Amino acid sequence: MLDYETLKFIWWVLVGTLLIGFAITDGMDMGVGVLLPFLGKNDMDRRVIINTVGPHWDGNQVWLITAGGAIFAAWPAVYAASFSGFYMAMLLVLFALFFRPVGFDYRSKIEDPRWRNAWDWGLFVAGLVPALIFGVAFGNLLQGVPFHLDDMLRPHYQGTLLFALVPLLNPFALVAGLISLAMLALHGATWLQLRTERPLSERARAAALRLGPVITLLFALAGLWVAFGMDGYQIVSGPPHGALPDPLAKEVVLRHGAWLAIYHQIPKAMAVPALGLAMPLLTALLAAVRLPGLGFITSALGMTGIIGTAGLSMFPFIMPSSTDPNSSLTVWDATSSHLTLTVMFWAVVIFLPCVLTYTVWCYVRMWGKVTAQAIAANSHTAY
């Protein structure tokens, strides 16, 4: 049986993997939704765009549900505190996501241009809002969330529910949100370039050429901001990593440059932010030379680098507290029991390969260019 400390670390890796998997799969759908009103010049163009992701979006969204379930089971304290601090933001994401199933399934059932145009913008909102809010959430985690734990380890959030969104929309968090939005839009653009024909694929190519450099510039700006304009969190004392969870048993201080400590301790970790900087530019280059298949892979690697950089920089912190640093939740003290982590680990070992195999099979079976001719010939079954 794996020891408790090892399991805590494994679940940090697994939750991060689920979040990256969600970004690569469902992020592609959101990116396509963001681009839908701009790349689709007429109704048939937009139907082609929707049909590139229509058969897959609901399966891809399961990654988000699975990540949420994993956080609930593996990090219950994080789940409780995050739903207090980010309650309004999460509701906003949820309401935006409501547009997706209705938009995908009913948008083309009625031929009224006003009906279809309304749902096109609904799908745009369903892609824009979650992409932006997820980035804003990561930006706020790096700065610390205003909550504290009482003696019973109950989280208390500073602020009122009505204005809970206002402090979250600070300058750094907005930069992080723009990185997330541009990152998913680039991923969607490479997917459209790969799955559509001219002239639509050329419009997607032009979008990828613009988005790649923007992501690199924004990511570099955020890195400089973290390095020179932001204090990080550091544990100076606490119980052994394999001890029973007790978030209040440690001492945490804020130190300038603490978020960069891991790159000094493990220089090879610099490869992760390097991916985040280089891969968007390489994706744009591959789009320029019309190699969208490779571009889709480099886009996924870039997303892995950007999300991985946030996780590595904060490690072992999951949800730092700006009002009481000692209440910060970490990989070592916000987890479930040893038994729970063990049972969940073996469930992942058994079922994750099955899920991945089925997902790959679905993409293989439904592969190919989506064309206007195919939609016209199957107008009642196409999205």
Side-chain angles (χ1 to χ4, degrees):
M1 180 181 289
L2 295 170
D3 63 81
Y4 200 13
E5 179 181 350
T6 301
L7 277 170
K8 291 177 180 180
F9 178 76
I10 286 174
W11 272 101
W12 175 77
V13 174
L14 287 176
V15 171
T17 301
L18 288 172
L19 292 175
I20 292 171
F22 161 69
I24 293 173
T25 55
D26 203 35
M28 171 188 74
D29 306 335
M30 292 179 184
V32 167
V34 169
L35 296 171
L36 174 64
F38 308 106
L39 300 188
K41 301 302 182 182
N42 54 53
D43 180 66
M44 183 54 73
D45 280 351
R46 295 183 180 186
R47 289 196 73 181
V48 168
I49 291 172
I50 291 171
N51 275 270
T52 63
V53 296
H56 307 291
W57 74 268
D58 46 356
N60 292 341
Q61 192 161 292
V62 172
W63 284 87
L64 175 61
I65 300 169
T66 305
I71 292 172
F72 171 76
W75 300 337
V78 174
Y79 189 89
S82 62
F83 266 81
S84 297
F86 298 130
Y87 188 76
M88 292 300 293
M90 289 181 177
L91 279 181
L92 187 61
V93 168
L94 182 62
F95 292 151
L97 290 176
F98 287 163
F99 288 113
R100 300 185 77 196
V102 184
F104 278 118
D105 289 337
Y106 293 105
R107 181 258 181 209
S108 297
K109 301 301 183 185
I110 299 177
E111 295 187 5
D112 187 340
R114 293 170 299 179
W115 169 269
R116 293 187 172 185
N117 186 62
W119 284 115
D120 289 341
W121 285 104
L123 291 172
F124 167 77
V125 170
L128 174 76
V129 172
L132 188 65
I133 294 297
F134 290 145
V136 167
F138 269 97
N140 279 279
L141 288 177
L142 282 162
Q143 297 173 93
V145 181
F147 78 97
H148 69 275
L149 302 176
D150 63 18
D151 293 339
M152 299 295 292
L153 300 182
R154 295 173 300 190
H156 298 273
Y157 179 68
Q158 180 178 309
T160 62
L161 181 63
L162 180 62
F163 297 103
L165 272 176
V166 176
L168 298 181
L169 300 176
N170 55 75
F172 178 79
L174 288 174
V175 169
L178 290 175
I179 294 171
S180 174
L181 177 60
M183 178 176 77
L184 300 191
L186 174 64
H187 204 50
T190 58
W191 176 254
L192 290 175
Q193 188 184 4
L194 181 63
R195 294 294 309 278
T196 62
E197 296 181 333
R198 296 184 179 184
L200 193 51
S201 63
E202 287 299 299
R203 295 182 209 136
R205 172 176 172 267
L209 288 173
R210 296 186 185 98
L211 288 166
V214 169
I215 296 168
T216 296
L217 287 173
L218 288 173
F219 188 51
L221 172 62
L224 292 173
W225 200 324
V226 170
F228 300 106
M230 184 183 301
D231 290 335
Y233 291 71
Q234 184 176 356
I235 300 173
V236 294
S237 66
H241 296 162
L244 292 175
D246 182 2
L248 296 178
K250 64 183 179 300
E251 181 183 355
V252 177
V253 297
L254 271 72
R255 286 183 179 166
H256 187 69
W259 284 152
L260 305 179
I262 192 167
Y263 305 110
H264 297 293
Q265 299 166 4
I266 310 174
K268 290 182 180 180
M270 282 298 299
V272 178
L275 280 177
L277 288 169
M279 290 299 107
L281 290 176
L282 183 54
T283 301
L285 177 61
L286 290 169
V289 297
R290 295 180 174 82
L291 292 174
L294 289 176
F296 190 78
I297 294 172
T298 57
S299 175
L301 289 174
M303 298 166 80
T304 302
I306 290 171
I307 298 171
T309 298
L312 274 178
S313 299
M314 291 176 60
F315 185 83
F317 289 91
I318 304 170
M319 191 170 179
S321 169
S322 60
T323 53
D324 179 22
N326 292 341
S327 293
S328 299
L329 302 174
T330 74
V331 172
W332 314 122
D333 58 29
T335 59
S336 293
S337 68
H338 191 179
L339 177 60
T340 300
L341 297 185
T342 300
V343 171
M344 290 170 56
F345 170 76
W346 289 112
V348 169
V349 169
I350 294 170
F351 291 110
L352 184 58
C354 299
V355 173
L356 291 174
T357 300
Y358 176 72
T359 300
V360 171
W361 179 82
C362 288
Y363 276 94
V364 170
R365 292 293 298 172
M366 290 180 271
W367 192 253
K369 297 280 188 180
V370 179
T371 65
Q373 293 80 5
I375 292 175
N378 302 277
S379 60
H380 295 290
T381 56
Y383 288 89

